Amino acid sequence: MPAEYVVTTKPSHCLFILFIGAVFLYLGLDLRFFHRIPGAKVGPNNVVWIALSLVGLLCTIGSVRGFFWPRTYLSADARGIALYSGRTAKSWNPETRSWDTTRRAGDTQLIPWDQIVDIGQTLMITERRTPGPKANLLGGKSSLGMGRIRETKAKALKVLCDRSIRLEGFDIFRISLAWNGLNESDLKQMTKADRDKLGLEDLNSGFVFHHRYLKWGLQNAIAILNRLKQQQLDSKAT
């Protein structure tokens, strides 16, 4: 069944990463071979040129792969919205004394339309560490440590669904965040005052998706998903 709405790697992002990768790769190779940058010359075993070249090569390969074979982040069709996992998860198996893979990068979790509570807009909060204090090192100023954490906010798509849908882990680093809703045992352990403070985002499972990566923009994504949801609910009602 072909998806009616698909969010994949954007070509513009791939080209940006390709540019960054090419710069790192050139710097690394220039340090070792070309020497076009004045005073830039290191030995064959120097870790600097090796690290720069490897980072540049990985970025270049990843961007070319993403451009020609884009990675899918989210899709929607008549069944519902499918989220894609961005990482592999493992759990310890005491019987076999080994790690069992419970989720792989690229695995999907389907949210049926009749299990979706709300589709709208919210703010996605991300964390970014500010540089540490400056110090004079090797003739120049360098930052010591990672500094403090500063929150940044961005507009995002918000989808809430029934808490029976387990979404934790089905997100992409710096692109989306997914969580599981509170179950009955969680609620029983809380005081009434704490339960009264809970909102829909706490009670329901859900995810937020950074607006920058959405196909055709945030408002169009909200309109398309709401239209698909209403179409499926209407078809089941008739």
Side-chain angles (χ1 to χ4, degrees):
M1 180 184 299
E4 298 189 43
Y5 182 74
V6 182
V7 179
T8 62
T9 308
K10 284 191 173 184
S12 59
H13 294 162
C14 294
L15 292 175
F16 176 74
I17 296 175
L18 177 62
F19 173 77
I20 298 298
V23 170
F24 275 88
L25 185 59
Y26 175 80
L27 289 175
L29 295 178
D30 186 80
L31 285 173
R32 177 66 185 92
F33 300 105
F34 308 141
H35 314 308
R36 294 180 180 176
I37 301 176
K41 186 176 181 180
V42 296
N45 297 323
N46 190 285
V47 69
V48 175
W49 85 269
I50 296 175
L52 287 174
S53 300
L54 285 176
V55 171
L57 185 61
L58 291 175
C59 289
T60 302
I61 294 175
S63 60
V64 171
R65 182 180 179 183
F67 188 86
F68 290 102
W69 298 279
R71 179 181 178 185
T72 302
Y73 298 144
L74 178 150
S75 63
D77 54 29
R79 300 172 303 162
I81 301 175
L83 281 183
Y84 290 72
S85 173
R87 59 191 182 276
T88 298
K90 295 184 178 182
S91 63
W92 177 254
N93 188 332
E95 296 181 359
T96 61
R97 293 182 175 273
S98 62
W99 291 95
D100 293 340
T101 300
T102 58
R103 186 185 66 253
R104 297 183 183 276
D107 285 353
T108 60
Q109 174 63 56
L110 179 67
I111 313 172
W113 292 115
D114 58 2
Q115 297 292 303
I116 292 179
V117 177
D118 182 58
I119 301 173
Q121 176 178 330
T122 189
L123 287 176
M124 180 177 177
I125 299 177
T126 59
E127 291 183 348
R128 183 177 63 187
R129 291 183 180 271
T130 58
K134 297 286 186 178
N136 291 318
L137 295 174
L138 301 177
K141 287 190 175 182
S142 300
S143 297
L144 298 177
M146 296 299 294
R148 62 184 180 84
I149 296 177
R150 184 178 64 186
E151 289 187 348
T152 59
K153 297 180 180 180
K155 291 186 293 184
L157 167 72
K158 178 185 69 176
V159 175
L160 299 179
C161 62
D162 189 270
R163 61 189 178 190
S164 62
I165 306 295
R166 314 306 285 174
L167 298 180
E168 186 175 353
F170 288 90
D171 46 19
I172 309 293
F173 179 65
R174 293 191 179 278
I175 296 178
S176 60
L177 297 171
W179 66 89
N180 295 333
L182 297 175
N183 54 39
E184 291 296 333
S185 60
D186 295 327
L187 296 174
K188 289 180 181 179
Q189 296 176 11
M190 301 174 66
T191 64
K192 184 179 183 303
D194 290 335
R195 290 197 299 269
D196 291 339
K197 297 178 183 177
L198 298 176
L200 288 177
E201 289 81 0
D202 303 307
L203 297 172
N204 297 100
S205 298
F207 71 90
V208 293
F209 203 101
H210 199 298
H211 76 97
R212 186 182 301 166
Y213 300 90
L214 290 169
K215 186 178 181 180
W216 304 319
L218 175 58
Q219 296 307 318
N220 281 326
I222 295 173
I224 292 171
L225 295 178
N226 274 312
R227 175 177 57 80
L228 291 173
K229 174 187 175 183
Q230 193 58 47
Q231 286 177 349
Q232 296 308 311
L233 295 180
D234 292 343
S235 65
K236 288 185 177 182
T238 56

